[in-house]
Amino acid sequence: MTHFAARVLWVREESPTVKTLAFRWDVDVLPGQFVMVWTPGIGEIPMSLSSLGETKTITVKDFGPPSAAIVSTKPGQNLYIRGPYGNHFTVVDGDKLVIGAGSGMASLAPLVDSRTYGIISAREKSEVILTGIFDQKRVLVTTDDGSMGLKGNTIEGLKVFDRDVEMIYVCGPEKMLYAVYNFLRDREVKAEFSLERSMKCGVGICDSCSIDGFQLCRDGPVFPIKTLEKMKEFGVSKLTYSGRRVQI
Ligand code: FES
């Protein structure tokens, strides 16, 4: 599979562990789709794009060797990208709500416009990212330690959110996704969740990304709330990169 060598134009620090890298790539990408980013000699990981214009961006958290290598890429150096892969969020007119925790907020960023509300959650203030892309009257921050915004997790934010919206989009760690799913499941709302699993090929060959018969790279990574009801592994267990099943 051929990779596109994308020269990094600029790098912006979003938090002590998260950076945004910008590059030019003349390919249409839809919100929620992902690309595989390869670092020669280290590895390849899936990443959603955090902006989709002529200049595109990825927003990366340093959580292991491949992502650490990407985070340390400097302007003028190359990112090696293939894709885009997977399905995408359903874009709606009207008011909508994005719910992002940690670096999960990055894949939701292309959905933010003047009619978007946001709930952004993190463990503490230094990990809160991308609040600046919202109309500030429309964004609510929650932190576990109360160092910024409302003290508590995403659900505490949802409890005080009292607007009707056309669609809710959710991305973040699976524990948070599962909690939001349980909060919303009996309510009359439309919601889409972006899931994360280990991905090797990105194109439906290796099955490393499977969850209850669905392949995240082809059937996802975005799933409507009704489909999550069919997934017994959702919120419970997943395969590691080496194929070991672990509890979530
Ligand atoms: S990543 Fe290989 S089948 Fe999905």
Side-chain angles (χ1 to χ4, degrees), residues 199-202 204-209 215 217:
M199 289 203 197
K200 293 181 181 174
C201 71
I205 297 169
C206 71
D207 215 29
S208 69
C209 65
Q215 286 183 328
C217 67

Side-chain angles (χ1 to χ4, degrees), residues 123-141:
R123 281 181 300 192
E124 45 125 355
K125 182 178 180 180
S126 72
E127 296 179 359
V128 176
I129 61 168
L130 300 175
T131 55
I133 64 175
F134 290 88
D135 173 340
Q136 292 303 290
K137 295 190 293 296
R138 286 178 169 246
V139 62
L140 172 70
V141 172

Side-chain angles (χ1 to χ4, degrees), residues 97 99-101 118-122 139-146 148-163 175-176 179-184 187:
L97 170 66
I99 303 173
I119 297 175
I120 302 179
S121 301
V139 62
L140 172 70
V141 172
T142 75
T143 49
D144 293 347
D145 67 356
M148 185 174 177
L150 197 62
K151 185 175 191 310
N153 61 21
T154 308
I155 301 304
E156 299 309 313
L158 267 171
K159 285 179 185 167
V160 301
F161 184 79
D162 58 359
R163 309 269 179 172
K175 271 193 174 156
M176 167 275 211
V180 172
Y181 162 75
N182 281 314
F183 186 88
L184 297 178
R187 292 171 163 81

